[in-house]
Every structure is written in structure tokens, then in C-alpha cells.
Amino acid sequence: MADAVATAGNAPLERSSSFHLLRRLRTLGLLIAVLVLWQVVSMYVLDKRTAVLLPSPTVVTQAFWELVVSGELFVHMRDSLKREFVAFLWALSAVPLGLAMGWSQTVHDQIDPLIEVLRPVPPLAWIPLSILWFGIGDIQNQFIIFLGMFFPILLNTISGVKNIEPNLVRAARCLGAGEGRVLRRVVLRAALPQIITGIRVGLGVGWMALVAAELVGANSGFGFLINDARTLLRTDIVIVGMITIGVIGLIIDRAIRYLGRRAMPWSRTFSA
Amino acid sequence: MAVLSSIGLSKRFAGHSANDPSVLALSSVNFTINHNEFCSVLGHSGCGKTTLLTMVAGFEQPTEGELLLDGKPIGKPGWERSMIFQDYALFHWLTVEENISFGLEMKNVPRDERKSVVKEYINLVGLSGFDRRYPHQLSGGMRQRVSIARALAVNPQILLMDEPFAALDAQNRSLMQKEMVRIWERARKTCLLVTHSIDEAITLSDRILVMTRRPGTIKADIKVELPRPRQEDDPGVILLRRQIKELIIDEFEVER
């Protein structure tokens, strides 16, 4: 690592792949240190009875491998991702609603009071009522996730539309675009970076809401997995579940950013 | 032959509250612009010249009077009155050729014809080779060239320009003014330019309408018959500049 620092000013070396690898490793330094510390604490500091509360990274890795081999992890992953995806399709209804609210003051004035009252209610507060409405299972979970996704997408779409430069709309009009074409070809396109940002945030909030909903209202999925493992005191599985949730959340976020960058080379919103 | 006529045109903007009086921006403005004439409206900021342009474009409705295009009252905005904006207003998610093609699509021009028209105008404004670039990859002057091509490609009856070169640095501004003369001589159009720059008006125009302070009216209607391209040290240009400057300074003193 000291070498990497010393050669940082050296132009030819900067471009070499080994330099990049070193830099990568350097940014992972703290993470590696935490893992080592964790291993040391669970092996040498905790005694036999308390060790179960914090299984070491090696034990967690073994549990991970067991869940992979048995295929159990993938079953939960499939169910969780399916719920996230179905809820996302429903939450996309926030895009046309947001366009209408951003574009027309009348629509905004009608719908905004309702939104303002519902928005501060955390999705998790809906869990008791939603279990009574939908019972335990997919629909209840999807409803909670939908609530988590809907508002970020809606609010970002509205502000994306409201922040469009007025001259873009004027330019389109005096090139002969009617109302429908102005909306589709100009307003939607100009607001797209912020809509995608809303989707990014929404997918993240939805993923958190998903795990919470599954903790109490599901028989599968990551939330169920970690809660079920808790009752069996399988802390290693709990930690495997938590880490997988985190990694998948990260992958979803990166994927949206990548797609945003590919689809909108003209936008700086998603550049690395 | 008059393309555009303004007859007793007035515009009053309502105040925001009972205590806030309404503002008379334009007061009985009369003028006509002839076919293929390049006409500038020159005045101080706040004299209502931009208001005049937005009414010709159809973004605002007159309070009194009439605006006629080829004898018919002006209604909603449309391609027959395309506009060049000071901030270019390019669609930043479209490439140069897609920007120029936009208006043609709105006119439902068939694809093949669109292609050839776009090519023609890219060449005219000197942007060959930049067809696939996005606006953020271009300099200010190049962006305004795209904007000019986009407005011309729809073949408007009148081309409207709202301080089109005001956002450029001094050197680019004078270059683009010369370019505008070249483009206009090749693609003759009826033009209405709004500007506060005397030199810009002299470089470009067949006619200059000098406006008064608010409420704006036409103070002088000056025909410019100097040969193009006009150099800033031509005796005729110097004389004209002095004449217009006096009109405008006069206006300043009336205000005091």
C-alpha cells in the first residue's frame, strides 16, 4: 500500500492495471480490517456461550455455502425479488400521476392534500392493517413495498416536470408540437433523469420495506429467513441473510445507475 | 407585401393584488414587416420588445389590437413562426440532427425528406461532422447554429429571434452576427429580431424599429440601405449608429 501512495504521481504507472488493483485494495482496507477484527473477537474474546451471538466470518461463510448448496438461499431470493418486482410495476403508476400533477396545477391542487397526509405515514405503519386486509403472503408484502416505492417516484417525477426550462416547452410549441407531443417528446424526456433518480430511491426504500414486511407477514423471502433463523438461534444464517440483503440492494442500485447512464448519455445525473 | 402587421397592439399585465397596479407594457404599436425583410426591434431592457415577440409567437395574447400573419390573426404557437432563443433551448437529450429534425417530425414530413432537409441545414450553418453530437458537447456558438438550423428547417413564414447572440462572448457574438448575414442571404426569410444592441441591429437589418421606454411604442422606423456585409467603420454605419444612439439617449432623458 505504501508503494501505491509513492507512485501516485507517476503518470505511466497510474494507467497500469496493477496500480488500479492496488488502489482498489486500498479503498477496501478498512473493510478488511473490520473482518479481521470480527474474526479475532469471535475466536479469542468471546467464550463458548456468548460466541453464538457473534459467529465468526468463517462460520458465516460456511453457513452461506450450506444455504447455496441446498438451494435454500435462491428460493428466498427468488421470492423476495419477485415481490420487489411486482410492487415496482404497480409503483410505476406514480410516473403518469406525477407527470399530470407536475404539468397541471388543477390536478396538483386536487391530489396534493391527499398525498401530503399519506406520505409521512411510514410503510411499516401499514403492516398491521395490511395483514388484516390481505392476510399473510405475497399481496400483503407487495402492498407494503409498493407504499415504500410510490412516494419517492411520485415526488421526483413532479419536481422533474416542474423544473423543466420553460423555453424547452416553448421551443417545441413553436416548432409545431401539440399538447400530447409536448408531454411525450419534451416533458417526459426532460424529466427522465429525475424520474430515474426517483426509481433508484424508490427501489431502495422498497427493498427495506420488503424485508420488514417479510419479517412478520411471509413464509419465504429474506425477511422470513432471518426471523426464522433467529427462533432457532442460528445467528450465522441471520448474518448470511443480512449480508445478502445488503449486497442485492447494492446490485439493484448499481444496475439502475448503469442503465440510466447507458440510456441517457446526455445526462450527468448518473455519471460515476 | 406585408407578412406581419401589428395594428394598435397593446399589452397590459395584471397586478398580483389589489394594491399592485397593472402594468402597461405596450401601447398601440403599429408596424408591418414585408416579405423577406430582416426587421429589428431595438430598445432598452424592459421596453416591452420581448413581450411583442412572445405575442407574435403566440405565447401571450394581446390586450388590445391585432397581430396578423399573411392577413390572418395569430393564434396558438406554430411552426410558421419558429423562434431562436437567447439560451438556445435545444433539446439536450437529442443529437444535433435529431434536434433539427424535431420540427419536421411535428410537421409529419416523411423520413427520407427529413433526412435530406436536416443534412441541407447542417451544411448551411456549418456543422457538418457534428450531426451525432449532443448539445452539451458543443460550444455556445455551435449550439446557436443548431438552434438557427432547427428554426429554419421547418420553413417558417417568419423567423423570430429573441436576443439570440446575447449569451455569447464578444468575439463569438460578432462572428455569429456575420454568420447570420451569410445564412440569411442564402436562405432568405422574413425575420423579426429583438435586441438591445445597436451594432447588432445595424449589421443585420433592412429595417430598424426603435422603441420608447415603457409603455413601449414605435419611436422611429429606420430603413437601412447599406450594402452587406457591413463593416463597423463604414461611413454609412457610423452615421447610422450616431443617429440611433441619439434616439435612444433621448429616450433615456425623457425617463429622467
Side-chain angles (χ1 to χ4, degrees):
Chain A
M1 258 189 272
D3 277 352
V5 176
T7 53
N10 193 323
L13 255 179
E14 254 182 66
R15 282 185 217 104
S16 76
S17 56
S18 66
F19 178 82
H20 277 299
L21 193 69
L22 277 173
R23 260 175 71 135
R24 258 274 148 74
L25 282 178
R26 198 169 46 150
T27 62
L28 293 178
L30 183 64
L31 186 67
I32 292 165
V34 168
L35 282 172
V36 169
L37 184 71
W38 174 8
Q39 182 80 27
V40 169
V41 167
S42 13
M43 279 176 76
Y44 302 109
V45 179
L46 299 178
D47 59 40
K48 271 228 163 61
R49 276 174 306 133
T50 47
V52 73
L53 295 178
L54 188 67
S56 68
T58 46
V59 174
V60 170
T61 311
Q62 272 169 15
F64 173 73
W65 190 240
E66 277 171 35
L67 288 173
V68 167
V69 171
S70 71
E72 202 182 332
L73 194 67
F74 299 111
V75 173
H76 293 299
M77 188 190 296
R78 185 197 63 202
D79 286 358
S80 284
L81 283 176
K82 205 180 94 196
R83 285 171 193 141
E84 170 98 346
F85 183 68
V86 173
F88 172 61
L89 292 183
W90 283 103
L92 280 180
S93 63
V95 173
L97 183 64
L99 284 176
M101 286 177 73
W103 190 240
S104 154
Q105 196 59 43
T106 322
V107 176
H108 187 271
D109 291 346
Q110 287 299 315
I111 300 180
D112 193 54
L114 183 65
I115 301 283
E116 284 303 306
V117 171
L118 289 178
R119 194 170 61 91
V121 180
L124 309 191
W126 284 88
I127 289 180
L129 192 59
S130 66
I131 288 181
L132 295 176
W133 282 356
F134 304 113
I136 289 191
D138 281 347
I139 296 178
Q140 183 268 344
N141 295 163
Q142 283 155 10
F143 178 69
I144 299 300
I145 305 158
F146 163 82
L147 289 171
M149 291 173 170
F150 187 80
F151 293 106
I153 300 179
L154 182 71
L155 296 185
N156 275 286
T157 306
I158 294 172
S159 101
V161 173
K162 287 205 183 245
N163 288 330
I164 291 174
E165 284 172 55
N167 272 354
L168 288 180
V169 174
R170 287 181 155 194
R173 288 218 164 111
C174 72
L175 289 167
E179 197 74 0
R181 276 163 148 181
V182 167
L183 265 173
R184 260 179 301 128
R185 300 286 306 270
V186 177
V187 175
L188 180 62
R189 301 300 298 273
L192 202 55
Q194 208 172 339
I195 295 174
I196 303 290
T197 299
I199 287 175
R200 251 183 87 189
V201 176
L203 283 171
V205 177
W207 190 242
M208 288 186 235
L210 161 92
V211 174
E214 283 173 348
L215 280 176
V216 288
N219 297 316
S220 65
F222 287 126
F224 168 81
L225 172 74
I226 61 178
N227 201 36
D228 191 47
R230 174 189 64 90
T231 60
L232 302 170
L233 214 60
R234 284 293 303 269
T235 42
D236 49 349
I237 294 181
V238 172
I239 292 173
V240 170
M242 288 170 67
I243 292 175
T244 318
I245 289 164
V247 170
I248 291 179
L250 181 70
I251 291 172
I252 292 174
D253 191 67
R254 286 296 158 91
I256 294 290
R257 252 175 65 175
Y258 174 76
L259 290 175
R261 204 161 52 232
R262 283 295 296 272
M264 297 178 284
W266 41 268
S267 169
R268 261 168 244 139
T269 313
F270 304 100
S271 43
Chain B
M1 191 177 75
V3 173
L4 183 78
S5 358
S6 166
I7 306 156
L9 191 74
S10 298
K11 178 71 185 177
R12 184 180 286 280
F13 288 105
H16 294 291
S17 64
N19 306 335
D20 188 10
S22 64
V23 175
L24 188 62
L26 289 174
S27 168
S28 40
V29 172
N30 293 297
F31 66 89
T32 59
I33 301 177
N34 298 320
H35 185 63
N36 280 356
E37 190 172 45
F38 199 120
C39 180
S40 294
V41 175
L42 185 66
H44 291 290
S45 48
C47 74
K49 57 190 194 295
T50 298
T51 305
L52 175 65
L53 202 66
T54 53
M55 285 196 287
V56 176
F59 302 137
E60 298 263 6
Q61 301 307 313
T63 313
E64 269 172 55
E66 259 190 320
L67 273 169
L68 304 175
L69 185 72
D70 272 340
K72 288 179 229 93
I74 280 175
K76 286 190 300 179
W79 59 266
E80 66 281 354
R81 286 161 282 131
S82 65
M83 186 145 159
I84 299 170
F85 296 85
Q86 182 181 334
D87 60 1
Y88 324 126
L90 294 177
F91 305 126
H92 50 260
W93 55 94
L94 299 179
T95 59
V96 168
E97 58 183 5
E98 288 166 343
N99 262 286
I100 299 171
S101 182
F102 185 90
L104 300 167
E105 282 177 60
M106 298 300 119
K107 277 179 85 175
N108 300 317
V109 174
R111 179 186 289 267
D112 290 345
E113 198 185 325
R114 279 205 309 261
K115 263 202 166 136
S116 69
V117 173
V118 168
K119 192 134 210 89
E120 181 192 332
Y121 281 96
I122 285 183
N123 287 336
L124 176 66
V125 299
L127 281 177
S128 318
F130 294 94
D131 319 36
R132 302 273 160 87
R133 297 284 180 94
Y134 285 97
H136 74 87
Q137 297 169 310
L138 304 176
S139 70
M142 288 161 92
R143 287 182 207 180
Q144 199 54 293
R145 286 170 194 265
V146 179
S147 174
I148 292 167
R150 183 178 69 173
L152 282 173
V154 292
N155 195 18
Q157 284 170 273
I158 183 166
L159 181 65
L160 310 176
M161 287 173 260
D162 183 13
E163 310 240 10
F165 310 121
L168 300 172
D169 62 73
Q171 246 156 2
N172 265 306
R173 190 180 312 140
S174 95
L175 174 70
M176 283 305 296
Q177 285 162 359
K178 291 198 184 87
E179 276 292 280
M180 194 67 221
V181 171
R182 180 185 67 79
I183 292 166
W184 180 77
E185 291 197 313
R186 283 187 51 195
R188 287 272 166 166
K189 275 272 164 291
T190 313
C191 292
L192 178 58
L193 169 88
V194 152
T195 182
H196 63 259
S197 156
I198 297 173
D199 284 318
E200 184 165 297
I202 294 175
T203 310
L204 294 167
S205 319
D206 294 316
R207 253 173 76 208
I208 301 174
L209 305 174
V210 182
M211 286 189 77
T212 61
R213 289 228 149 205
R214 196 158 61 205
T217 52
I218 306 292
K219 179 177 188 168
D221 183 341
I222 301 163
K223 220 168 170 62
V224 187
E225 281 172 324
L226 305 163
R228 293 184 175 89
R230 296 163 186 159
Q231 303 300 327
E232 53 187 88
D233 50 0
D234 286 349
V237 170
I238 293 172
L239 218 64
L240 186 59
R241 186 187 298 130
R242 190 179 300 153
Q243 187 195 344
I244 295 174
K245 236 176 201 159
E246 269 163 18
L247 281 168
I248 290 203
I249 288 170
D250 238 26
E251 202 46 49
F252 215 55
E253 256 140 38
V254 168
E255 180 79 358
R256 286 176 185 175

